[in-house]
């Protein structure tokens, strides 16, 4: 009873939070709180199989999968405000009202008998007793639930599928777009050089320039250097580049001497 009175308020608050939070990720986390609390109540009621299934299957697998998909897709609160089907709000209110009326009628017609006790319910083993109930008295409901879960999984795949309206771009298409952007706006054709170097050309056999104006040997493949196919860096305007970088001539000579040493 202590576990129930401790966990019941937490479950009620978390369940109400599902109705009022705006972020779908927060709703999934609140649902995890409810599921874990329910698993603890199963353990207190000496139902180890339901406790394990609640933790491993529902909380550990299904709910975490929902949470991962929500974080991957990035569902915002604005998505829920877009009414894609006309009249869906009125239909949702009507279905909810029918569900509440059905629940109230079902609760008023319940008849309670004397409790058999946990020892009587778990006679022969908790798993064996649960399997006997599922595949005998509640076999139709069990199979209907299985069909409902399969239908929900197929519906989720259909809703998450995005129909491609345009063909996938190939490497040739991407290269053509880069060439077109270079011709129209002068955008760079390839990746930019790393920090500390100044690329004078887009070719792989042309060395880049260090801040002191000297060529960077590491910017060209050693195979090209061994073959002697390295191109000139075009140092005709090196003095202008040095002035732009703020490099002093004396400092440049000292840097060269230190590199030679």
């Amino acid at each position: 009873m202590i576990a129930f009175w401790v966990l019941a308020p937490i479950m009620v608050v978390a369940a109400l939070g599902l109705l009022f939070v705006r972020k779908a990720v927060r709703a999934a986390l609140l649902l995890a709180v409810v599921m874990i609390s329910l698993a603890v109540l199963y353990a207190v009621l000496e139902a180890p199989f339901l406790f394990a299934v609640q933790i491993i299957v529902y909380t550990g697998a299904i709910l975490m999968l929902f949470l991962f998909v929500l974080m991957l897709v990035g569902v915002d609160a604005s998505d829920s405000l877009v009414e894609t089907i006309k009249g869906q709000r009125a239909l949702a209110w009507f279905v909810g009202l029918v569900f509440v009326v059905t629940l109230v009628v079902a609760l008023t017609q319940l008849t309670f008998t004397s409790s058999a006790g946990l020892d009587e319910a778990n006679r022969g083993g908790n798993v064996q007793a649960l399997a006997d109930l599922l595949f005998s008295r509640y076999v139709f409901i069990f199979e209907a639930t299985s069909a409902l879960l399969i239908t929900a999984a197929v519906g989720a795949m259909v809703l998450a599928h995005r129909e491609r309206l345009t063909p996938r771009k190939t490497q040739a298409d991407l290269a053509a777009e880069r060439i077109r952007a270079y011709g129209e706006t002068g955008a760079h054709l390839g990746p930019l050089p790393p920090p500390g170097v100044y690329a004078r050309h887009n070719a792989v056999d042309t060395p880049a320039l260090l801040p002191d104006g000297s060529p960077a040997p590491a910017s060209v493949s050693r195979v090209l250097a061994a073959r002697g196919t390295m191109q000139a860096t075009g140092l005709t305007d090196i003095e202008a580049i040095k002035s732009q970088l703020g490099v002093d001539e004396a400092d440049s000579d000292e840097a060269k001497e230190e590199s030679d040493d």
Side-chain angles (χ1 to χ4, degrees):
M1 293 298 294
I2 298 177
F4 173 79
W5 289 113
V6 171
L7 294 176
I10 298 176
M11 295 173 64
V12 172
V13 173
L16 292 176
L18 291 171
L19 303 177
F20 298 105
V21 294
R22 294 181 177 272
K23 298 292 185 180
V25 176
R26 296 177 181 176
L29 292 176
L30 290 175
L31 184 59
V33 173
V34 176
M35 287 186 173
I36 294 174
S37 302
L38 186 60
V40 175
L41 293 181
Y42 285 149
V44 173
L45 293 175
E46 299 181 8
F49 179 77
L50 292 179
F51 167 76
V53 169
Q54 186 72 23
I55 292 293
I56 298 173
V57 178
Y58 290 99
T59 308
I62 298 178
L63 182 60
M64 291 301 107
L65 178 61
F66 290 165
L67 183 60
F68 174 75
V69 171
L70 289 174
M71 297 177 67
L72 181 65
V73 176
V75 179
D76 297 328
S78 58
D79 297 338
S80 60
L81 300 178
V82 179
E83 187 172 353
T84 57
I85 303 176
K86 294 183 178 179
Q88 64 177 359
R89 295 180 184 271
L91 181 61
W93 278 102
F94 175 75
V95 174
L97 183 60
V98 171
F99 176 75
V100 171
V101 172
T102 305
L103 187 62
V104 171
V105 172
L107 291 176
T108 54
Q109 294 180 354
L110 288 177
T111 56
F112 297 96
T113 58
S114 59
S115 177
L118 295 176
D119 296 334
E120 181 67 23
N122 292 329
R123 177 179 296 179
N126 176 258
V127 178
Q128 291 82 352
L130 184 62
D132 180 59
L133 287 176
L134 285 179
F135 295 102
S136 60
R137 182 183 301 178
Y138 302 107
V139 62
F140 177 76
I141 300 176
F142 181 76
E143 296 298 335
T145 305
S146 303
L148 179 62
L149 292 176
I150 294 175
T151 305
V154 174
M157 289 188 293
V158 172
L159 293 175
H161 175 70
R162 294 183 179 180
E163 194 69 27
R164 183 175 294 276
L165 302 178
T166 58
R168 186 184 297 272
K169 293 182 180 179
T170 61
Q171 286 293 103
D173 297 333
L174 295 177
E177 288 184 358
R178 288 197 296 268
I179 296 296
R180 190 181 304 109
Y182 175 75
E184 294 176 355
T185 62
H188 200 275
L189 287 173
L192 297 177
V197 300
Y198 185 82
R200 296 289 295 148
H201 200 276
N202 199 40
V204 295
D205 57 347
T206 303
L209 301 181
L210 295 174
D212 61 348
S214 61
S219 63
V220 179
S221 174
R222 289 181 296 176
V223 177
L224 297 179
R227 291 178 180 177
T229 57
M230 292 176 56
Q231 301 293 328
T233 55
L235 302 181
T236 56
D237 54 350
I238 187 62
E239 300 298 331
I241 297 175
K242 287 184 179 180
S243 62
Q244 293 176 3
L245 296 175
V247 178
D248 190 9
E249 185 68 25
D251 297 338
S252 177
D253 296 337
E254 292 178 1
K256 289 183 180 179
E257 292 176 359
E258 291 177 359
S259 62
D260 294 338
D261 295 336

